[in-house]
Amino acid sequence: MGLRILGWGSALPEKVVTNHDLEKTLDTSDEWIRERSGIGERRIGESTAELAIAAGRAALERSGVEPASVDLMVLATTTPDQQVPASSAHVHYELGLGGGACDLNAACSGFVYALVMANGLLESGANRVLVVGAETLSRITDWSDRNTAVLFGDGGGALVLEREAGEGQLLGWDLGVDASAREILECDIGGFIRMDGREVFKRAVRVLVDSAKRTLAQAKVRPEDVKLLVPHQANIRIIQAACDRLGIPEERTALVLHRTGNTSSASIPLALVDAIEAGRLEDGDLVLMTGFGAGMTWGSALLRWQSPPSASGASA
Ligand code: ACO
């Protein structure tokens, strides 16, 4: 048994905050932000549950799956709306889902963790799982700190997964955490993100590349066979350095960070959904997702793309 993707969806708040907007309140410039991070603007607003509901609803509608037939919804987020209850409970209620719901926090690797766990659940008997990555990082960003304020944004992305006989679409995966580096990126409850940007940068390239290589080796796939790399959208220079070391050309990456900023758990599904909707995937294409985040966590997953029978927007 394995997983099959039946639907996808994403959501971004309406409010756009450009680099030029940030220039008005911070000692920074559009040029610096673009050069150092690749980010041009980000979306800000709504709650984590609202973004998760919008992305989840779009994914369910596209899949044609009856919400009540979902066995579990996993919401990957580092920014739940409340300490208790989990934001997934709100999403479950609003979408009229069946089965259970829980939040998962593995920082920016959260969506890949959720996908891998969903695969395990489908293998062991669940029929349908909704995985969502949604964040409102704007709520934990210190807007007076130029070291972090220019980087983050809000958004959500979702996939509807179904159990499939046979190997399924997930061909390999790798999850990890190096907690000796947990202090380089932190946010206390009720506080703001603090980050040693240079240290995160250095380690991010290393863990992305190592995790991606382990995943490819597990599935006996060469980097040149990867049609689309979907990296965590933190910094274009991290992505370029990883592409370089993996031998995957930058044109084969899914990129949304120029218009979303870093949306943590939402970044990989946002980039994946963008690529699917742009018709960049054909049946049989290999898609490698790879992320890193606070913890320091990492996660990679290799998928073989297969357009669902009822889907619109995907290549046949
Ligand atoms: N505007 C202008 N100047 C700035 C800004 C800004 N917004 N921010 C920092 N600077 C200054 C610094 O103060 C420093 O000045 P100094 O040389 O006088 O000390 C100078 O620019 C260079 O700073 P660096 O930190 O060396 O800049 P760098 O090229 O490393 O880029 C950045 C900084 C963008 C933060 C980069 O290190 C990075 O992206 N790191 C990884 C961050 C990341 O991925 N975080 C997310 C992790 S995922 C998660 O869990 C949320």
Side-chain angles (χ1 to χ4, degrees):
M1 291 297 168
L3 70 78
R4 171 142 203 203
I5 297 171
L6 289 187
W8 52 85
S10 61
L12 289 169
E14 265 178 38
K15 186 177 175 189
V16 178
V17 176
T18 65
N19 294 345
H20 293 296
D21 292 329
L22 295 179
E23 280 174 349
K24 293 175 195 152
T25 53
L26 288 171
D27 179 15
T28 190
S29 66
D30 175 55
E31 194 190 0
W32 191 97
I33 303 168
R34 281 181 195 275
E35 257 182 41
R36 300 295 180 112
S37 73
I39 297 165
E41 60 186 41
R42 70 286 294 142
R43 301 291 190 98
I44 302 293
E46 302 188 37
S47 70
T48 292
E50 282 168 338
L51 292 166
I53 290 163
R57 183 170 284 130
L60 285 164
E61 281 173 4
R62 192 177 287 274
S63 71
V65 161
E66 180 57 43
S69 74
V70 170
D71 296 307
L72 180 71
M73 195 271 299
V74 185
L75 172 59
T77 188
T78 57
T79 47
D81 298 321
Q82 292 174 283
Q83 187 79 41
V84 172
S87 298
S88 51
H90 186 179
V91 179
H92 187 276
Y93 178 75
E94 290 294 334
L95 292 179
L97 299 174
C102 66
D103 286 10
L104 180 160
N105 180 350
C108 308
S109 317
F111 189 80
V112 176
Y113 270 67
L115 187 74
V116 172
M117 290 183 188
N119 186 64
L121 205 78
L122 292 165
E123 280 178 347
S124 66
N127 289 314
R128 296 192 181 100
V129 180
L130 173 63
V131 286
V132 183
E135 301 278 6
T136 43
L137 292 178
S138 61
R139 291 188 297 115
I140 60 165
T141 299
D142 177 354
W143 289 99
S144 65
D145 174 14
R146 70 175 184 173
N147 292 300
T148 52
V150 301
L151 300 175
F152 301 114
D154 304 336
L159 292 179
V160 175
L161 310 173
E162 188 171 59
R163 182 156 62 128
E164 182 177 66
E167 186 184 35
Q169 286 176 250
L170 182 68
L171 308 184
W173 55 269
D174 175 68
L175 303 178
V177 59
D178 175 4
S180 70
R182 64 192 181 279
E183 284 168 11
I184 62 175
L185 180 49
E186 288 184 304
C187 178
D188 296 325
I189 291 172
F192 295 124
I193 298 172
R194 299 187 301 272
M195 180 180 73
D196 178 347
R198 279 180 215 184
E199 192 58 28
V200 173
F201 191 110
K202 207 169 63 188
R203 288 171 181 263
V205 175
R206 205 158 57 218
V207 299
L208 275 188
V209 171
D210 291 349
S211 177
K213 281 185 176 168
R214 278 193 295 273
T215 304
L216 293 176
Q218 197 186 96
K220 300 192 172 53
V221 164
R222 297 170 307 170
E224 53 268 40
D225 297 328
V226 172
K227 176 71 188 299
L228 188 71
L229 178 71
V230 188
H232 172 43
Q233 313 279 305
N235 185 314
I236 190 67
R237 292 183 296 135
I238 293 177
I239 295 171
Q240 285 163 342
C243 280
D244 212 38
R245 288 174 203 195
L246 284 169
I248 297 177
E250 204 188 321
E251 313 81 78
R252 279 200 256 144
T253 55
L255 290 177
V256 292
L257 96 160
H258 52 287
R259 57 190 171 84
T260 63
N262 177 350
T263 56
S264 191
S265 304
S267 96
I268 287 181
L270 275 169
L272 176 66
V273 169
D274 187 73
I276 297 170
E277 292 190 339
R280 291 181 68 185
L281 293 175
E282 290 177 8
D283 287 355
D285 284 349
L286 294 173
V287 180
L288 177 62
M289 294 180 255
T290 183
F292 66 92
M296 187 167 186
T297 60
W298 61 84
S300 300
L302 182 72
L303 290 174
R304 190 186 301 283
W305 179 251
Q306 179 70 44
S307 40
S310 60
S312 53
S315 308

